[in-house]
Amino acid sequence: MLIDIITGLSYLVLAVFFILRLNHPDKEVPEWGKWLPLAPIALHLYALYLAIETGTGQNLSLFNTLSLVSLIMVLLIAIYRFNHQTPHLMLYACLFAGFVSLLNIVPEKPNIIMLKGNALAFWHIWLSVIGFSLLLIATFQSILLLFLHKKLRSRPASIHPLLPPLMQMEQFLSALVLSGIISLGIALILGFMQPDTALRAQSLHKIVLSALAWFSFCTFYLGYKLSRLSGIRFARLCIIAFVILALGYVGSKLVLDYILQRG
């Protein structure tokens, strides 16, 4: 519990750093500033190891899974940030990871899964989490893209100097969505290859919503690449598709483990 509090606070401190960076865009940042996210990431990794590894299996409860998603998200953005200016995106990621880390102090029912010796389930879960993380980053990127587009139409002079060009943001969004589609698509295929007992353990609406979200992302991505959707409309639709995905991945577990069980 203490390590979760320390991890959450370290992310919030890092978020303050990025807020100061955004408030003083002309101030030169030392090269070591790019390495700052690695400190809370290391703490987060250790906290997750303690939370997930139980000795009898892996505890993939709702909060632990969300914590894993936030860790992957921060790590991917931190890597991308070595070659690109992304203080806005990094700020969103730090706030999300900090909130999820602090949320981990709330008691919850464990969900123990034995992944050792079960390669199919291992890759299904890992690719699902990676795909969800990529599409969550794409959602944050879509919000930034819509914000920049609104500024360009209303008050171009007020655009923040650290915001990347619109075309670059669209290209990054496209790459994120494609990576998420591939990861999630393989995860869905591996999920259907699992034994019947494992499939029956999954709620039907989770499977349906996840498949619907994946199909939606595929359709929107193809529409964008075939020039039938503008970058702005693509960003809006990506947010809608992610809401469907979140309802399938997070919403179903929240309802089953917390609302129905307590009722």
Side-chain angles (χ1 to χ4, degrees), residues 199-225:
L199 279 174
R200 290 194 207 100
Q202 300 291 329
S203 56
L204 179 61
H205 59 276
K206 176 184 176 181
I207 298 173
V208 172
L209 288 173
S210 300
L212 177 61
W214 180 82
F215 180 76
S216 299
F217 273 114
C218 290
T219 304
F220 302 153
Y221 179 80
L222 287 175
Y224 173 69
K225 282 299 181 179

Side-chain angles (χ1 to χ4, degrees), residues 8-246:
L9 292 177
S10 66
Y11 274 123
L12 296 181
V13 169
L14 186 60
V16 172
F17 169 82
F18 284 106
I19 291 172
L20 294 174
R21 175 77 180 110
L22 292 173
N23 288 335
H24 302 88
D26 298 329
K27 187 176 180 180
E28 188 174 348
V29 178
E31 190 64 25
W32 53 261
K34 293 182 178 180
W35 297 88
L36 282 178
L38 296 185
I41 286 174
L43 283 171
H44 198 168
L45 185 62
Y46 178 62
L48 264 178
Y49 174 77
L50 295 178
I52 292 178
E53 287 295 334
T54 64
T56 58
Q58 287 70 45
N59 180 13
L60 296 178
S61 61
L62 175 61
F63 292 161
N64 282 349
T65 304
L66 284 177
S67 187
L68 184 57
V69 166
S70 66
L71 173 64
I72 294 173
M73 181 180 68
V74 173
L75 180 60
L76 291 175
I77 297 175
I79 294 171
Y80 180 77
R81 185 171 165 265
F82 275 99
N83 296 316
H84 302 85
Q85 284 279 11
T86 56
H88 294 82
L89 196 58
M90 199 70 205
L91 173 60
Y92 290 169
C94 289
L95 290 174
F96 179 78
F99 172 75
V100 171
S101 295
L102 293 175
L103 196 63
N104 260 3
I105 66 176
V106 179
E108 63 171 337
K109 179 185 176 182
N111 180 27
I112 308 298
I113 301 175
M114 178 56 71
L115 296 179
K116 187 177 181 180
N118 190 351
L120 198 63
F122 175 84
W123 286 111
H124 165 68
I125 291 172
W126 259 110
L127 288 171
S128 296
V129 171
I130 291 171
F132 190 91
S133 304
L134 286 164
L135 295 172
L136 177 57
I137 301 173
T139 302
F140 286 147
Q141 181 72 357
S142 296
I143 294 170
L144 281 173
L145 188 63
L146 294 174
F147 174 77
L148 179 57
H149 176 69
K150 184 178 179 180
K151 286 286 186 181
L152 284 171
R153 294 188 63 181
S154 57
R155 294 187 297 165
S158 65
I159 293 175
H160 198 281
L162 294 181
L163 273 174
L166 189 65
M167 187 56 66
Q168 180 181 323
M169 294 180 72
E170 284 189 19
Q171 291 171 352
F172 184 42
L173 174 61
S174 175
L176 286 169
V177 172
L178 177 59
S179 302
I181 286 172
I182 294 172
S183 298
L184 196 58
I186 298 174
L188 286 171
I189 292 171
L190 293 177
F192 285 114
M193 292 172 60
Q194 292 188 78
D196 290 341
T197 52
L199 279 174
R200 290 194 207 100
Q202 300 291 329
S203 56
L204 179 61
H205 59 276
K206 176 184 176 181
I207 298 173
V208 172
L209 288 173
S210 300
L212 177 61
W214 180 82
F215 180 76
S216 299
F217 273 114
C218 290
T219 304
F220 302 153
Y221 179 80
L222 287 175
Y224 173 69
K225 282 299 181 179
L226 295 174
S227 301
R228 294 178 182 175
L229 289 175
S230 65
I232 303 306
R233 185 165 176 76
F234 177 54
R236 291 194 185 102
L237 292 173
C238 283
I239 295 173
I240 295 173
F242 182 78
V243 170
I244 299 173
L245 182 65

